[in-house]
Amino acid sequence: MTAIERARTVAVVGTGTMGQGIAQVALLAGHPVLLFDADAGRTAAADASVRSRIERLVEKGRLERAEADAALLRLRAARDLRDLSEAALVVEAIVEQLPVKQDLFVSLEALVAEDCLLATNTSSLSVTAIAGALKHPGRFVGMHFFNPAPLLPLVEVVSGFATDAAAATRAYDTALAWGKTPVRCADTPGFLVNRIARPFYAEAFAVYEEQAADPATIDAVLRESGGFRMGPFELTDLIGQDVNEAVSRSVWEAFHQSPKFVPSLPQRRLVESGRLGRKSGRGWYPYGEGAAGPEPHTAAPEAAPARVSVTGDFGPAAEVVTMLQEADGIEVRQLTSGGPYIGLPSGGQLAPVDGHTSVEYDDVVYFDLALDYRAATRVALAASADVSEQTLREAVGLFQALGKDVSVIGDVPGMIVGRTVAMLVDLALDAVAKGVATPEDIDTAMRLGVNYPRGPLEWGRALTGDWSFDLLTAMHERCPTGRYAPSLAHYRQGYAEQEPAE
């Protein structure tokens, strides 16, 4: 371990919510902590706020009185930037403006000792660019905490182009000693979480823009079928539409306007109208006293067919076949050639999502991907206007017989969960191939940073074979903008997993 010794001082510059949170983490890890803001009034207010936070921990029984008293003695408010000269680590959490951050670190570099580690908590700017103004950029690193810093375990430790390996390791070990879960990351737009998470929002917004489903239904499907803790519409209302849209736009521009990261026009209109989410009283949903959000579309009860046939290998949806075989009152006949699909009494078919559309076939209904079909409480079905009413009723009744709520959405390729997960897998594979981070760190970051039920690479493995590659290839054929074209890394994996030609 090369963590900074507990007896040495940690300085935090910037006294907003994030700065206060980082200060609290360092303080309770045993360090003397210096708080500094260019505005002396804000410094004093932040000092009082951190002390109040610690007192509340004692009141709630989460911190011993003696430990709190010792921590409070280690906290000081710096009156001048020169007071930070004793620090072994300075973490910056000020405004997200490159020239302002550069000026700060140029000043700090002239004050602190040679072995002082300089760190930025930036979430959107290049670590390399901030360090570009320094004479000794090797000791500069990104330490991106997530809000609220005292509660969320993840810290992205970001190495700029000139960051010394020893400095990155020191930052990593320090975060680990503070009880955090650090992950290593190269300096790339969005780092790990903000880069790889874009499809979670973008695909939901695209389904909405294509008028295939309303926000409440999309959120419900991603929660109840996909296993995500919150849907993207409710989550962006919580984050703030302006904040989330700015991150999406920043990543898109940093990747030279790549089609993989195109921002959402409906979200832009929401921001322009001032509907920013909870903080403004209205976003995708209404808020405030008496406000009632819309309910997801849930199909009316239908009778389950008495008999079905099952054809082919269902891959990630194989559990659906097992559940049908276990269900009372449904006779299941197993066929072998073709598929995968479930044959219905109407003559129609029910098929797992594969990136195709219902309109391409005669009387076919698609069902969406689920994290765990047995545990899922909702399943989405997609059908074109040409699907017979009887086929759709039988498809709805079949999943209702398995204990699921059913949401019928428009005929969009990849549906909701399927396209979202496939895109998450694609961006994660691309990041690994480009040396941004290890597979393990990517999965850890996405589970801890945004509470995904699985890391994207873990999910990709669970989907078996080249499922995500095939789904994106099919989507790219139907939406040839480049957005759904599998990355080179995904392409290589997809072909590597196919049977060799004889």
Short mmCIF file of all heavy atoms in Angstrom, two decimals, residues 285-335:
data_model
loop_
_atom_site.label_atom_id
_atom_site.label_comp_id
_atom_site.label_asym_id
_atom_site.label_seq_id
_atom_site.Cartn_x
_atom_site.Cartn_y
_atom_site.Cartn_z
N TYR A 285 -41.99 13.90 -15.83
CA TYR A 285 -43.17 13.70 -14.98
C TYR A 285 -43.45 14.97 -14.18
O TYR A 285 -42.54 15.77 -13.94
CB TYR A 285 -42.94 12.54 -14.00
CG TYR A 285 -42.59 11.22 -14.65
CD1 TYR A 285 -41.36 10.60 -14.39
CD2 TYR A 285 -43.49 10.58 -15.50
CE1 TYR A 285 -41.04 9.38 -14.97
CE2 TYR A 285 -43.16 9.36 -16.09
CZ TYR A 285 -41.94 8.76 -15.82
OH TYR A 285 -41.63 7.56 -16.40
N PRO A 286 -44.69 15.16 -13.71
CA PRO A 286 -44.99 16.30 -12.84
C PRO A 286 -44.61 16.00 -11.40
O PRO A 286 -44.62 14.85 -10.96
CB PRO A 286 -46.51 16.42 -12.98
CG PRO A 286 -46.98 15.03 -13.26
CD PRO A 286 -45.89 14.39 -14.07
N TYR A 287 -44.24 17.05 -10.66
CA TYR A 287 -43.89 16.91 -9.24
C TYR A 287 -44.61 17.99 -8.44
O TYR A 287 -45.29 18.84 -9.00
CB TYR A 287 -42.37 17.01 -9.06
CG TYR A 287 -41.64 15.89 -9.79
CD1 TYR A 287 -41.15 16.10 -11.08
CD2 TYR A 287 -41.52 14.64 -9.23
CE1 TYR A 287 -40.53 15.09 -11.78
CE2 TYR A 287 -40.89 13.60 -9.92
CZ TYR A 287 -40.40 13.83 -11.20
OH TYR A 287 -39.80 12.81 -11.88
N GLY A 288 -44.44 17.94 -7.16
CA GLY A 288 -45.09 18.92 -6.32
C GLY A 288 -46.32 18.34 -5.65
O GLY A 288 -46.72 17.19 -5.89
N GLU A 289 -46.92 19.13 -4.80
CA GLU A 289 -48.06 18.68 -4.01
C GLU A 289 -49.22 18.26 -4.92
O GLU A 289 -49.65 18.99 -5.80
CB GLU A 289 -48.53 19.80 -3.06
CG GLU A 289 -49.60 19.36 -2.08
CD GLU A 289 -49.95 20.46 -1.09
OE1 GLU A 289 -49.25 21.50 -1.10
OE2 GLU A 289 -50.91 20.29 -0.34
N GLY A 290 -49.70 17.04 -4.68
CA GLY A 290 -50.85 16.55 -5.43
C GLY A 290 -50.54 16.01 -6.80
O GLY A 290 -51.43 15.52 -7.50
N ALA A 291 -49.26 16.08 -7.22
CA ALA A 291 -48.90 15.61 -8.55
C ALA A 291 -48.93 14.08 -8.59
O ALA A 291 -48.42 13.42 -7.69
CB ALA A 291 -47.51 16.11 -8.94
N ALA A 292 -49.52 13.55 -9.62
CA ALA A 292 -49.58 12.10 -9.80
C ALA A 292 -49.00 11.75 -11.15
O ALA A 292 -49.49 12.22 -12.19
CB ALA A 292 -51.01 11.60 -9.69
N GLY A 293 -47.94 10.97 -11.15
CA GLY A 293 -47.31 10.59 -12.40
C GLY A 293 -48.15 9.58 -13.15
O GLY A 293 -48.99 8.89 -12.57
N PRO A 294 -47.97 9.48 -14.47
CA PRO A 294 -48.73 8.52 -15.28
C PRO A 294 -48.36 7.08 -14.94
O PRO A 294 -47.23 6.79 -14.53
CB PRO A 294 -48.35 8.88 -16.71
CG PRO A 294 -47.01 9.54 -16.58
CD PRO A 294 -47.03 10.26 -15.28
N GLU A 295 -49.30 6.19 -15.12
CA GLU A 295 -49.07 4.77 -14.90
C GLU A 295 -48.58 4.12 -16.20
O GLU A 295 -48.93 4.56 -17.30
CB GLU A 295 -50.37 4.09 -14.46
CG GLU A 295 -50.85 4.52 -13.09
CD GLU A 295 -49.91 4.08 -11.98
OE1 GLU A 295 -49.37 2.94 -12.08
OE2 GLU A 295 -49.69 4.86 -11.04
N PRO A 296 -47.79 3.06 -16.10
CA PRO A 296 -47.35 2.36 -17.31
C PRO A 296 -48.52 1.66 -17.99
O PRO A 296 -49.49 1.28 -17.34
CB PRO A 296 -46.33 1.35 -16.78
CG PRO A 296 -46.72 1.12 -15.36
CD PRO A 296 -47.23 2.45 -14.88
N HIS A 297 -48.39 1.51 -19.29
CA HIS A 297 -49.40 0.74 -20.02
C HIS A 297 -49.31 -0.73 -19.61
O HIS A 297 -48.25 -1.34 -19.71
CB HIS A 297 -49.20 0.86 -21.53
CG HIS A 297 -50.02 -0.13 -22.30
ND1 HIS A 297 -51.37 0.02 -22.49
CD2 HIS A 297 -49.68 -1.30 -22.90
CE1 HIS A 297 -51.84 -1.01 -23.17
NE2 HIS A 297 -50.82 -1.82 -23.44
N THR A 298 -50.41 -1.28 -19.15
CA THR A 298 -50.48 -2.69 -18.78
C THR A 298 -51.68 -3.30 -19.48
O THR A 298 -52.81 -2.80 -19.37
CB THR A 298 -50.63 -2.87 -17.26
OG1 THR A 298 -49.50 -2.23 -16.61
CG2 THR A 298 -50.64 -4.34 -16.87
N ALA A 299 -51.44 -4.37 -20.23
CA ALA A 299 -52.49 -4.98 -21.02
C ALA A 299 -53.59 -5.56 -20.13
O ALA A 299 -53.34 -6.05 -19.03
CB ALA A 299 -51.91 -6.08 -21.91
N ALA A 300 -54.83 -5.52 -20.62
CA ALA A 300 -55.97 -6.12 -19.92
C ALA A 300 -55.82 -7.64 -19.89
O ALA A 300 -55.14 -8.22 -20.75
CB ALA A 300 -57.26 -5.72 -20.62
N PRO A 301 -56.45 -8.29 -18.93
CA PRO A 301 -56.34 -9.76 -18.83
C PRO A 301 -56.84 -10.46 -20.09
O PRO A 301 -57.86 -10.07 -20.67
CB PRO A 301 -57.22 -10.09 -17.62
CG PRO A 301 -57.28 -8.84 -16.83
CD PRO A 301 -57.24 -7.72 -17.82
N GLU A 302 -56.08 -11.47 -20.49
CA GLU A 302 -56.46 -12.30 -21.63
C GLU A 302 -56.33 -13.77 -21.24
O GLU A 302 -55.55 -14.10 -20.34
CB GLU A 302 -55.56 -12.02 -22.85
CG GLU A 302 -55.60 -10.59 -23.35
CD GLU A 302 -56.90 -10.24 -24.08
OE1 GLU A 302 -57.73 -11.16 -24.28
OE2 GLU A 302 -57.08 -9.06 -24.44
N ALA A 303 -57.05 -14.61 -21.92
CA ALA A 303 -56.97 -16.06 -21.65
C ALA A 303 -55.68 -16.61 -22.24
O ALA A 303 -55.28 -16.25 -23.35
CB ALA A 303 -58.18 -16.76 -22.24
N ALA A 304 -55.04 -17.50 -21.51
CA ALA A 304 -53.83 -18.15 -22.01
C ALA A 304 -54.21 -19.27 -22.97
O ALA A 304 -55.22 -19.95 -22.78
CB ALA A 304 -53.02 -18.71 -20.85
N PRO A 305 -53.45 -19.47 -24.03
CA PRO A 305 -53.74 -20.60 -24.93
C PRO A 305 -53.54 -21.93 -24.20
O PRO A 305 -52.67 -22.06 -23.33
CB PRO A 305 -52.73 -20.42 -26.05
CG PRO A 305 -51.64 -19.57 -25.48
CD PRO A 305 -52.28 -18.69 -24.46
N ALA A 306 -54.33 -22.91 -24.56
CA ALA A 306 -54.26 -24.21 -23.89
C ALA A 306 -53.06 -25.01 -24.36
O ALA A 306 -52.58 -25.90 -23.63
CB ALA A 306 -55.54 -25.00 -24.15
N ARG A 307 -52.58 -24.73 -25.56
CA ARG A 307 -51.43 -25.49 -26.07
C ARG A 307 -50.57 -24.57 -26.94
O ARG A 307 -51.09 -23.68 -27.63
CB ARG A 307 -51.88 -26.72 -26.85
CG ARG A 307 -52.69 -26.43 -28.10
CD ARG A 307 -53.21 -27.70 -28.73
NE ARG A 307 -54.11 -28.39 -27.83
CZ ARG A 307 -55.40 -28.10 -27.70
NH1 ARG A 307 -55.93 -27.11 -28.40
NH2 ARG A 307 -56.16 -28.78 -26.89
N VAL A 308 -49.27 -24.80 -26.89
CA VAL A 308 -48.31 -24.09 -27.74
C VAL A 308 -47.25 -25.07 -28.19
O VAL A 308 -47.08 -26.14 -27.60
CB VAL A 308 -47.64 -22.91 -26.99
CG1 VAL A 308 -48.65 -21.86 -26.57
CG2 VAL A 308 -46.85 -23.40 -25.78
N SER A 309 -46.52 -24.69 -29.22
CA SER A 309 -45.35 -25.45 -29.63
C SER A 309 -44.11 -24.58 -29.45
O SER A 309 -44.19 -23.35 -29.54
CB SER A 309 -45.46 -25.91 -31.08
OG SER A 309 -45.52 -24.79 -31.94
N VAL A 310 -42.99 -25.20 -29.17
CA VAL A 310 -41.74 -24.48 -28.97
C VAL A 310 -40.72 -25.00 -29.97
O VAL A 310 -40.48 -26.20 -30.04
CB VAL A 310 -41.21 -24.66 -27.53
CG1 VAL A 310 -39.84 -24.02 -27.38
CG2 VAL A 310 -42.18 -24.05 -26.52
N THR A 311 -40.14 -24.10 -30.73
CA THR A 311 -39.19 -24.48 -31.77
C THR A 311 -37.88 -23.73 -31.59
O THR A 311 -37.87 -22.51 -31.45
CB THR A 311 -39.76 -24.15 -33.17
OG1 THR A 311 -41.01 -24.82 -33.33
CG2 THR A 311 -38.80 -24.59 -34.27
N GLY A 312 -36.76 -24.45 -31.59
CA GLY A 312 -35.44 -23.84 -31.61
C GLY A 312 -34.85 -23.54 -30.24
O GLY A 312 -35.46 -23.79 -29.20
N ASP A 313 -33.64 -23.00 -30.27
CA ASP A 313 -32.88 -22.65 -29.08
C ASP A 313 -33.17 -21.19 -28.72
O ASP A 313 -32.87 -20.29 -29.49
CB ASP A 313 -31.38 -22.85 -29.36
CG ASP A 313 -30.50 -22.49 -28.18
OD1 ASP A 313 -31.05 -22.14 -27.10
OD2 ASP A 313 -29.27 -22.54 -28.34
N PHE A 314 -33.71 -20.97 -27.52
CA PHE A 314 -34.11 -19.63 -27.10
C PHE A 314 -32.97 -18.85 -26.45
O PHE A 314 -33.16 -17.70 -26.06
CB PHE A 314 -35.31 -19.71 -26.15
CG PHE A 314 -36.62 -19.83 -26.86
CD1 PHE A 314 -36.89 -20.93 -27.67
CD2 PHE A 314 -37.58 -18.85 -26.75
CE1 PHE A 314 -38.09 -21.05 -28.34
CE2 PHE A 314 -38.79 -18.95 -27.43
CZ PHE A 314 -39.05 -20.05 -28.22
N GLY A 315 -31.80 -19.44 -26.30
CA GLY A 315 -30.66 -18.71 -25.76
C GLY A 315 -30.97 -18.05 -24.43
O GLY A 315 -31.38 -18.73 -23.48
N PRO A 316 -30.79 -16.69 -24.33
CA PRO A 316 -31.04 -16.00 -23.06
C PRO A 316 -32.48 -16.13 -22.56
O PRO A 316 -32.74 -15.88 -21.39
CB PRO A 316 -30.72 -14.54 -23.39
CG PRO A 316 -29.86 -14.60 -24.59
CD PRO A 316 -30.30 -15.79 -25.37
N ALA A 317 -33.41 -16.50 -23.45
CA ALA A 317 -34.82 -16.62 -23.06
C ALA A 317 -35.22 -18.06 -22.81
O ALA A 317 -36.42 -18.37 -22.73
CB ALA A 317 -35.72 -16.00 -24.13
N ALA A 318 -34.25 -18.96 -22.64
CA ALA A 318 -34.56 -20.38 -22.44
C ALA A 318 -35.43 -20.62 -21.21
O ALA A 318 -36.23 -21.57 -21.18
CB ALA A 318 -33.27 -21.18 -22.34
N GLU A 319 -35.31 -19.75 -20.20
CA GLU A 319 -36.09 -19.93 -18.98
C GLU A 319 -37.59 -19.79 -19.25
O GLU A 319 -38.40 -20.38 -18.56
CB GLU A 319 -35.65 -18.91 -17.93
CG GLU A 319 -36.27 -19.12 -16.54
CD GLU A 319 -35.79 -20.39 -15.86
OE1 GLU A 319 -34.79 -20.99 -16.32
OE2 GLU A 319 -36.41 -20.80 -14.87
N VAL A 320 -37.95 -19.03 -20.29
CA VAL A 320 -39.36 -18.89 -20.64
C VAL A 320 -39.95 -20.24 -21.04
O VAL A 320 -41.07 -20.59 -20.66
CB VAL A 320 -39.54 -17.86 -21.78
CG1 VAL A 320 -40.98 -17.85 -22.30
CG2 VAL A 320 -39.15 -16.47 -21.31
N VAL A 321 -39.19 -21.01 -21.78
CA VAL A 321 -39.64 -22.35 -22.18
C VAL A 321 -39.82 -23.23 -20.96
O VAL A 321 -40.83 -23.94 -20.83
CB VAL A 321 -38.63 -22.98 -23.17
CG1 VAL A 321 -39.06 -24.40 -23.53
CG2 VAL A 321 -38.50 -22.12 -24.42
N THR A 322 -38.86 -23.18 -20.05
CA THR A 322 -38.97 -23.98 -18.81
C THR A 322 -40.21 -23.59 -18.02
O THR A 322 -40.94 -24.45 -17.52
CB THR A 322 -37.71 -23.78 -17.94
OG1 THR A 322 -36.56 -24.14 -18.70
CG2 THR A 322 -37.78 -24.63 -16.68
N MET A 323 -40.47 -22.30 -17.92
CA MET A 323 -41.65 -21.83 -17.18
C MET A 323 -42.94 -22.27 -17.85
O MET A 323 -43.92 -22.62 -17.17
CB MET A 323 -41.59 -20.30 -17.06
CG MET A 323 -40.45 -19.80 -16.18
SD MET A 323 -40.10 -18.03 -16.42
CE MET A 323 -41.63 -17.30 -15.85
N LEU A 324 -42.97 -22.29 -19.17
CA LEU A 324 -44.16 -22.76 -19.88
C LEU A 324 -44.39 -24.24 -19.61
O LEU A 324 -45.54 -24.69 -19.41
CB LEU A 324 -44.00 -22.54 -21.39
CG LEU A 324 -44.13 -21.11 -21.90
CD1 LEU A 324 -43.78 -21.04 -23.38
CD2 LEU A 324 -45.53 -20.58 -21.65
N GLN A 325 -43.31 -25.00 -19.58
CA GLN A 325 -43.43 -26.44 -19.32
C GLN A 325 -43.92 -26.71 -17.91
O GLN A 325 -44.57 -27.73 -17.65
CB GLN A 325 -42.08 -27.12 -19.56
CG GLN A 325 -41.65 -27.11 -21.03
CD GLN A 325 -40.21 -27.50 -21.24
OE1 GLN A 325 -39.37 -27.39 -20.31
NE2 GLN A 325 -39.88 -27.95 -22.44
N GLU A 326 -43.63 -25.80 -16.98
CA GLU A 326 -44.06 -25.96 -15.59
C GLU A 326 -45.47 -25.43 -15.35
O GLU A 326 -46.08 -25.75 -14.33
CB GLU A 326 -43.10 -25.21 -14.66
CG GLU A 326 -41.68 -25.77 -14.68
CD GLU A 326 -40.70 -24.87 -13.92
OE1 GLU A 326 -41.11 -23.74 -13.53
OE2 GLU A 326 -39.54 -25.27 -13.74
N ALA A 327 -45.99 -24.60 -16.25
CA ALA A 327 -47.27 -23.93 -16.03
C ALA A 327 -48.43 -24.91 -16.10
O ALA A 327 -48.46 -25.82 -16.93
CB ALA A 327 -47.45 -22.82 -17.05
N ASP A 328 -49.40 -24.70 -15.23
CA ASP A 328 -50.61 -25.53 -15.25
C ASP A 328 -51.52 -25.11 -16.40
O ASP A 328 -51.69 -23.92 -16.68
CB ASP A 328 -51.38 -25.37 -13.93
CG ASP A 328 -50.61 -25.95 -12.74
OD1 ASP A 328 -49.80 -26.88 -12.97
OD2 ASP A 328 -50.80 -25.47 -11.61
N GLY A 329 -52.08 -26.08 -17.05
CA GLY A 329 -53.10 -25.81 -18.07
C GLY A 329 -52.55 -25.44 -19.43
O GLY A 329 -53.33 -25.05 -20.31
N ILE A 330 -51.23 -25.53 -19.63
CA ILE A 330 -50.65 -25.22 -20.94
C ILE A 330 -49.86 -26.43 -21.42
O ILE A 330 -48.90 -26.86 -20.78
CB ILE A 330 -49.73 -23.99 -20.90
CG1 ILE A 330 -50.49 -22.75 -20.41
CG2 ILE A 330 -49.12 -23.72 -22.28
CD1 ILE A 330 -49.63 -21.51 -20.24
N GLU A 331 -50.30 -27.01 -22.52
CA GLU A 331 -49.60 -28.14 -23.11
C GLU A 331 -48.50 -27.62 -24.03
O GLU A 331 -48.76 -26.79 -24.91
CB GLU A 331 -50.59 -29.01 -23.90
CG GLU A 331 -49.94 -30.19 -24.59
CD GLU A 331 -50.93 -30.93 -25.48
OE1 GLU A 331 -52.15 -30.87 -25.21
OE2 GLU A 331 -50.48 -31.53 -26.48
N VAL A 332 -47.28 -28.09 -23.83
CA VAL A 332 -46.14 -27.62 -24.61
C VAL A 332 -45.59 -28.75 -25.47
O VAL A 332 -45.20 -29.81 -24.95
CB VAL A 332 -45.03 -27.07 -23.70
CG1 VAL A 332 -43.84 -26.59 -24.52
CG2 VAL A 332 -45.55 -25.93 -22.82
N ARG A 333 -45.56 -28.52 -26.77
CA ARG A 333 -45.00 -29.51 -27.68
C ARG A 333 -43.66 -28.99 -28.19
O ARG A 333 -43.56 -27.84 -28.65
CB ARG A 333 -45.95 -29.73 -28.85
CG ARG A 333 -45.52 -30.85 -29.80
CD ARG A 333 -46.71 -31.32 -30.64
NE ARG A 333 -47.26 -30.22 -31.42
CZ ARG A 333 -47.16 -30.13 -32.76
NH1 ARG A 333 -46.55 -31.07 -33.44
NH2 ARG A 333 -47.70 -29.12 -33.39
N GLN A 334 -42.61 -29.79 -28.08
CA GLN A 334 -41.27 -29.37 -28.44
C GLN A 334 -40.96 -29.78 -29.87
O GLN A 334 -41.05 -30.96 -30.23
CB GLN A 334 -40.24 -30.00 -27.50
CG GLN A 334 -38.83 -29.46 -27.65
CD GLN A 334 -38.63 -28.13 -26.92
OE1 GLN A 334 -39.06 -27.97 -25.79
NE2 GLN A 334 -37.96 -27.20 -27.58
N LEU A 335 -40.61 -28.82 -30.70
CA LEU A 335 -40.17 -29.09 -32.07
C LEU A 335 -38.69 -28.75 -32.16
O LEU A 335 -38.13 -28.08 -31.29
CB LEU A 335 -40.99 -28.25 -33.05
CG LEU A 335 -42.51 -28.44 -32.98
CD1 LEU A 335 -43.21 -27.51 -33.97
CD2 LEU A 335 -42.89 -29.88 -33.26
#
